[in-house]
Amino acid sequence: MSLKRTTVYADAEDLAIIKEAAAREGIAEAEIIREAIHLAALAKRSWAEPLGWPSFASGSSQPGEDVDRALDQVWDEKAAAYEAGKRRTP
């Protein structure tokens, strides 16, 4: 990756947060700023053609409620496993 130098004006509070994060993570402030620029660039990127997300028919008259019930069941199972794991740990 080829890097180019540029000048950016930033809020002093934001720079203080970046400075703290860089010190905490042991990385350069510039690395955090480069990552932020990259994420912003990806968020604003536009594609020539729309993404072709697949669709399907669920066969249910209430697919949203079916999904909610399925997710509730998954989370209940995860919560039960978590609680069981806590009891085993001294």
Side-chain angles (χ1 to χ4, degrees):
M1 170 174 71
S2 171
L3 299 178
K4 291 186 98 173
R5 184 180 183 146
T6 189
T7 302
V8 205
Y9 292 95
D11 183 77
E13 291 179 24
D14 291 338
L15 292 175
I17 293 169
I18 290 170
K19 183 182 273 304
E20 290 173 11
R24 184 177 57 251
E25 295 183 22
I27 60 175
E29 294 170 36
E31 184 61 32
I32 293 173
I33 294 167
R34 279 192 293 270
E35 181 181 350
I37 290 171
H38 179 66
L39 292 173
L42 290 177
K44 298 296 181 182
R45 186 177 196 176
S46 62
W47 302 93
E49 296 181 20
L51 295 174
W53 294 103
S55 62
F56 61 93
S58 70
S60 171
S61 62
Q62 301 171 329
E65 291 181 20
D66 294 345
V67 169
D68 287 343
R69 273 194 295 279
L71 288 174
D72 285 344
Q73 180 180 352
V74 168
W75 285 113
D76 289 345
E77 291 169 2
K78 288 187 177 294
Y82 173 76
E83 291 298 327
K86 282 187 359 185
R87 285 192 289 270
R88 281 186 263 136
T89 306

